Amino acid sequence: LLHALRELAEVYDQELLCEYTDWNTLREQLWEELHNNHVGRKSCKQEDQTRLRFSIACGNIALNRATSNAVGLRAIDEALIVGHPLAADVLQGALGLFRTSSELSIRCGRSLVNNCSPTEDKVLCDIDQIHRPSISMFLTRYFGQRPVLITGIVESWPAFTKWPLIDFWLENHGLRTVPIERGRTYLSSDFRPELVLLQDFIHDHLLADGDGYLAQHGIFDQIPSLRQDVVEPDFASFGEDRTPPTTNLWLGPENTIT
């Protein structure tokens, strides 16, 4: 894995071929560049280089400098969140070296939701509701014509039974670092982004009715196994430009607004 990171540097960033002794300092410098609007003033090539250097620095910290499981795992997650996609495969391969399950997992059997089934009183607008429509019905009656609420789709997804369980998240992904947004809305004066452990997000926000919200983040790229729990509906592929549909996950407590 370290050799693969070195090959990335050899192809895309000759400066990183030197033997760094303080990858943590380099990571901190690059983090500041990525989060203090320096990137916005750079060309696309310079921004790509900054993100790739950040990924390589984090990879070296995780594989060669980490003093604990938590330090190594966080370095990989930071690289997956804000680093360059070119390094993602190498970083995903390194995840197998670390424990991602939380010690807080106690098989409590509790659920993150009270009711997984939508009810009519939650529908805020007067639109048609149809249950598991055929492709023909969807295309002839609704596609490109008017909105529709489609029911009965997700009950067969593995996510429908797995994701509401607290233990699923803690036992499989509790020590993963994820970006969340703090504040009831993005217009709130106290709105701010944070990086937190998934176990802390669950306990401090989902279970305690906090104000943290996981959104605007490609968590399916960071944790690819979650994508296997979602079955893409056929009618989601009928966009006008025929590009693959975008899949996203929003996870937050009640009363947050997106």
Side-chain angles (χ1 to χ4, degrees), residues 2 6 14-23 26 60 64-65:
L2 284 169
R6 187 175 180 85
Q14 292 290 328
E15 285 186 47
L16 286 181
L17 287 179
C18 63
E19 293 296 329
Y20 272 92
T21 59
D22 194 351
W23 289 101
L26 177 62
N60 275 277
N64 215 18
R65 296 288 189 274

Side-chain angles (χ1 to χ4, degrees), residues 48-210:
D48 284 346
Q49 186 179 52
T50 300
R51 294 189 182 280
L52 183 59
R53 297 184 83 195
F54 183 78
S55 295
I56 293 173
C58 287
N60 275 277
I61 291 171
L63 297 171
N64 215 18
R65 296 288 189 274
T67 56
S68 67
N69 182 86
V71 170
L73 190 56
R74 184 179 178 96
I76 291 177
D77 276 329
E78 287 183 359
L80 290 172
I81 292 169
V82 300
H84 199 287
L86 280 172
D89 286 344
V90 178
L91 296 167
Q92 289 287 356
L95 282 173
L97 301 174
F98 299 93
R99 178 175 57 85
T100 61
S101 61
S102 170
E103 294 180 352
L104 297 178
S105 182
I106 55 175
R107 296 191 176 276
C108 63
R110 292 180 61 188
S111 174
L112 292 174
V113 294
N114 295 323
N115 182 7
C116 291
S117 301
T119 56
E120 291 186 5
D121 62 353
K122 293 182 180 179
V123 180
L124 303 180
C125 52
D126 185 18
I127 61 175
D128 289 353
Q129 297 186 49
I130 53 177
H131 187 76
R132 296 183 181 177
S134 65
I135 295 299
S136 175
M137 178 183 180
F138 175 73
L139 290 176
T140 56
R141 296 188 186 182
Y142 297 101
F143 181 66
Q145 302 173 55
R146 60 185 189 273
V148 60
L149 176 62
I150 299 175
T151 62
I153 298 298
V154 303
E155 284 92 336
S156 61
W157 293 4
F160 188 73
T161 54
K162 292 165 62 176
W163 289 6
L165 299 178
I166 294 172
D167 288 334
F168 166 76
W169 295 100
L170 295 180
E171 291 176 3
N172 294 283
H173 313 294
L175 295 183
R176 301 301 300 272
T177 297
V178 293
I180 65 170
E181 299 169 353
R182 298 288 305 276
R184 289 298 176 183
T185 78
Y186 69 93
L187 296 176
S188 300
S189 59
D190 60 346
F191 178 83
R192 62 195 183 280
E194 290 183 4
L195 288 180
V196 300
L197 292 180
L198 188 56
Q199 66 176 23
D200 296 335
F201 172 60
I202 290 174
H203 284 85
D204 296 342
H205 297 281
L206 299 187
L207 298 181
D209 193 27

